[in-house]
Amino acid sequence: MYDYTKIDKKVFLIIKKVISYLGKYVSEETIKEEILKAYAYAKQAHEGQFRHSGDPYIVHPIGATFHLLSLKPDIPTIQACILHDVIEDTDVSLETIKNEFGEEVAFLCAGMEKLSKVRYHGEEREVGSLRKMFVAMAQDLRVVFIKLADRLHNMQTLRYHPKRDKREKIALETLNIYAPIADRLGLYSLKNALEEECFKILEAEAYKKIKKEMAELNESIDSFSKNAEKEIKDVLIDGGIKNFEIDYRVKSIYSIYKKMKRKGYESIKSLYDLFGIRIIVKDVTTCYKALGVIHNYWTPLPNRFKDYIALPKPNGYKSLHTTIIGLLKNYRKQPTEIQIKTYEMKEYSDIGVAAHFEYKERGSKVAHDIGWVKDLKDITESLENQDFMTSIKIDVFKDRIFVFTPKGDSINLPQGSTPVDYAYAIHTELGDHISLAKVSGKVYPLDKELRNGDIIEIIIDKNRNPSPFWLSFVKTAKARDKIKAYLRKDNKYQNRDRGKEIVNKYLQNAGLGILDKDLSILKILDGRENSVDERNFILEQVGNFSLSPGALMRRILKAQNKKIPSTRNKENFGTKENQIKSSEENQEIIIGGEKNIPYKLCYCCRRKIPSKIVAHINSKGIITLHKRDCKILENVNKERLLPAYIKGEETNSITAHINFLFQNKIGVLKEISDILYSMHINVEQISSKKEAEEKTLLSFILEIPDYDYLIVERLIERIKFHFGEMLLDSQVLKIES
Ligand code: MN
């Protein structure tokens, strides 16, 4: 029979700790009772099960619960952690847990069970589990806390796992998925502990070496910090700062390793940020005051000062960081990092997002500031697995920048973000119709990386829509997602509007005027009455090309007792007026849909602005107008071109004949027509022909706005992107103006 005394002792230690932070909300008896109840239950349920170490299974959930305590969890979370493997590994059902411990505990256990169902065999599975994990997190962060504590205990006992490759796989997964999640949530102590365990397994030699060096340095770090503490204390008191605490922390072993590797250092002695001093004060004002005192006495290193109070890290971390030279100058030549923060910020820097929880009655906690968790949920819910991995890597773990709206609101973006990312971060509409971006008042290319502190203004043009090209440079998952969504959009209102446009042209051509508000001309068709919904549906069908407008016209004319006109009069089909302004003084150039944009002229058009122009923005934001067939344009990035025209010429149009060869598939026509409509391209004619088996040739005659340079190329790109391998071939037969 196994001796449970050691485990029992640990459980009582847990109870003691919980009372220390929860005692003022919940009676000691209740805490003790609830924890012991879960313990007894789990112990019973796991009876006869053993860990690889040979210990009874219950050491694991209790060990995990012990790690969890740093986050000051509520009672249901503690109970769920103790019970977390019961449903998975024993006969006990979720229903039983619910009856015994209540809804909340059962809910948390169910969350844990969901996560544990996912076994990791390869990249793809990991992604799936990662996704579930994040979704679970968005639902309740407490499940994530338990999962991380669970993982930490498993990592600490991983050495008992008999298979080496399995150990490494688990360590890698922890390093790549769990530790970054802990980091993202600001759970630094958990993150460091997880990384250290991984490091031990994955780089055993390096780990031992650094550990040994640190042990040797320990004494000197200790005496240095004691002396430093005294020196700083005197300086602060002299500077009029009262009521503060000073402590120091040593950089985590894995961070040391990473930095040494990055910098190519041989010894940890080369690191001057091996440890940092923390000054903890009562409020924000005192933080800045203390900083002033420190900077007044010692020399700060330029570029090392960081104000995370004014601009907190994305996970909410706040503090002032500065690095000074000359602390204990007879003792140590290297600069020292000093962090200044309030008690509240210190709590946050230890347990991150867990500090954002507040206790409800009866010892239950709720999060009250988890807006960003919702963002994560949005991301996870809308993305495919493949995309998800990329977006997590990009959004959650990469360095961030802060940029500003013209009103001064700060927007937090991953490094490398472009004006398009910024626009989507603010509002989908803004992204969907972005035409121009200005940074500090100057035009800025849409694909150019934004810098920290940029003030960005977005100018929209309702006629501009997302381009598949954008996918090649946007950095945020949100932008990528929204662009894709736009490109794939199946919009019945768009179809209806398009149907209306088409039918109006046919009606005008037949001399019947245009549709009225009630669509009354569609009311009686084929001898029956259509409801308003049915009339709208007819327009939708015309708009998505499932109903031929010609056939509809025949029915309308029949109902109106009119004759079908024998020839189509092309002049009546569009009402384009080709008014070209010849007077150069009055020429107003519209660039990207906006007036009064300063521009230069390319030498090709120095003498006289030609009528077919396009604007190019260089990396400095300078706009040059070119004629569209200018040689220079052959070598420029096409994404940096903006449509431009002389006011009055925007109604000019050209006709393009394009063929697409498709693998036969129902709905292609409708999807193409949606794309055409969203790009404001009119369809003059469509014909479809069955080629060889399973292949269909679609021929389009399109009416395209003349000023929109490269629109044909963009259209083809977009169709290629949309249909992928289903599109076998595309061909531009001719373009006529
Ligand atoms: Mn477990």
Side-chain angles (χ1 to χ4, degrees), residues 51 57 60-61 64 81 84-85 89 112 116 147 150-151 154:
R51 303 278 293 173
Y57 198 89
H60 165 64
C81 188
H84 82 261
D85 280 326
D89 296 339
M112 279 299 284
S116 68
K147 188 70 201 171
D150 170 44
R151 178 51 67 117
N154 280 334

Side-chain angles (χ1 to χ4, degrees), residues 612-635:
K612 288 171 181 283
I613 47 173
V614 64
H616 174 257
I617 315 174
N618 72 7
S619 58
K620 291 194 183 106
I622 295 169
I623 291 184
T624 310
L625 290 184
H626 296 266
K627 59 180 184 189
R628 275 172 229 160
D629 52 1
C630 180
K631 281 261 181 293
I632 293 170
L633 296 179
E634 286 167 15
N635 299 316

Side-chain angles (χ1 to χ4, degrees), residues 624-717:
T624 310
L625 290 184
H626 296 266
K627 59 180 184 189
R628 275 172 229 160
D629 52 1
C630 180
K631 281 261 181 293
I632 293 170
L633 296 179
E634 286 167 15
N635 299 316
V636 303
N637 179 350
K638 299 282 183 280
E639 262 310 293
R640 290 206 168 161
L641 294 174
L642 274 177
Y645 54 84
I646 299 163
K647 194 158 189 264
E649 290 185 9
E650 68 269 31
T651 52
N652 293 353
S653 63
I654 51 173
T655 311
H657 299 246
I658 307 176
N659 279 355
F660 294 103
L661 185 64
F662 277 95
Q663 193 76 43
N664 209 357
K665 192 225 168 191
I666 301 156
V668 165
L669 202 53
K670 180 186 169 304
E671 286 172 40
I672 291 187
S673 58
D674 286 344
I675 292 171
L676 292 171
Y677 185 70
S678 73
M679 293 177 77
H680 300 268
I681 296 173
N682 285 325
V683 180
E684 291 199 350
Q685 207 177 299
I686 305 176
S687 63
S688 148
K689 197 171 116 202
K690 263 222 157 33
E691 291 282 282
E693 212 173 315
E694 299 285 312
K695 284 179 191 162
T696 305
L697 182 74
L698 293 177
S699 304
F700 290 84
I701 300 176
L702 304 171
E703 185 190 270
I704 287 171
D706 178 42
Y707 68 86
D708 207 350
Y709 182 80
L710 292 179
I711 190 170
V712 174
E713 285 86 342
R714 285 214 320 269
L715 170 68
I716 290 171
E717 272 311 307

Side-chain angles (χ1 to χ4, degrees), residues 26 103 185 199 248 312 315 321 344 348 370 397-398 401 411 494 561 634 654 681 684 707:
V26 191
E103 199 119 2
L185 296 175
F199 184 33
Y248 73 95
N315 63 19
H321 288 192
E344 223 173 273
Y348 194 87
I370 51 164
F397 307 131
K398 247 188 123 184
I401 56 165
I411 306 286
Q494 278 192 359
N561 275 324
E634 286 167 15
I654 51 173
I681 296 173
E684 291 199 350
Y707 68 86

Side-chain angles (χ1 to χ4, degrees), residues 186-352:
L187 311 174
Y188 295 117
S189 52
L190 276 179
K191 175 207 161 219
N192 290 339
L194 284 168
E195 283 180 344
E196 180 161 350
E197 295 303 325
C198 298
F199 184 33
K200 244 185 233 177
I201 284 166
L202 297 171
E203 299 278 350
E205 287 309 309
Y207 174 79
K208 275 182 211 148
K209 187 173 169 275
I210 295 179
K211 199 80 183 163
K212 189 164 160 260
E213 267 197 78
M214 283 181 72
E216 285 162 10
L217 273 185
N218 234 342
E219 217 172 290
S220 64
I221 290 177
D222 236 33
S223 73
F224 173 79
S225 57
K226 275 197 195 94
N227 287 312
E229 191 179 324
K230 197 178 166 299
E231 193 169 317
I232 293 171
K233 200 173 157 188
D234 293 343
V235 170
L236 286 177
I237 289 171
D238 275 356
I241 311 281
K242 277 169 262 169
N243 305 323
F244 56 85
E245 268 176 44
I246 296 174
D247 66 7
Y248 73 95
R249 16 169 271 175
V250 179
K251 204 177 177 68
S252 85
I253 187 161
Y254 187 63
S255 317
I256 292 173
Y257 168 70
K258 276 198 298 192
K259 185 151 187 184
M260 284 173 67
K261 222 172 134 183
R262 202 170 59 234
K263 303 256 177 186
Y265 292 156
E266 284 294 315
S267 159
I268 66 170
K269 284 177 193 141
S270 313
L271 292 176
Y272 65 76
D273 59 350
L274 189 55
F275 68 99
I277 308 255
R278 294 202 293 193
I279 300 170
I280 298 120
V281 298
K282 63 177 197 316
D283 54 26
V284 171
T285 316
T286 319
C287 285
Y288 288 102
K289 215 173 143 194
L291 180 77
V293 172
I294 298 283
H295 278 182
N296 198 22
Y297 194 86
W298 290 284
T299 312
L301 268 190
N303 303 324
R304 296 282 305 178
F305 170 63
K306 295 208 180 76
D307 187 345
Y308 293 122
I309 294 178
L311 291 175
K313 285 189 186 180
N315 63 19
Y317 176 88
K318 288 182 190 175
S319 182
L320 298 175
H321 288 192
T322 186
T323 302
I324 56 165
I325 312 167
L327 182 66
L328 296 186
K329 44 180 171 293
N330 298 327
Y331 195 97
R332 191 172 183 259
K333 300 233 162 23
Q334 286 162 320
T336 310
E337 183 182 87
I338 294 189
Q339 303 181 353
I340 305 169
K341 54 188 80 184
T342 64
Y343 287 94
E344 223 173 273
M345 294 174 199
K346 177 182 176 285
E347 161 118 328
Y348 194 87
S349 69
D350 292 335
I351 63 170

Side-chain angles (χ1 to χ4, degrees), residues 120-122 164-174:
Y120 308 97
H121 298 295
R164 186 201 165 120
D165 61 328
K166 193 79 202 280
R167 290 199 298 267
E168 286 179 355
K169 194 175 255 179
I170 293 172
L172 264 178
E173 177 192 274
T174 305

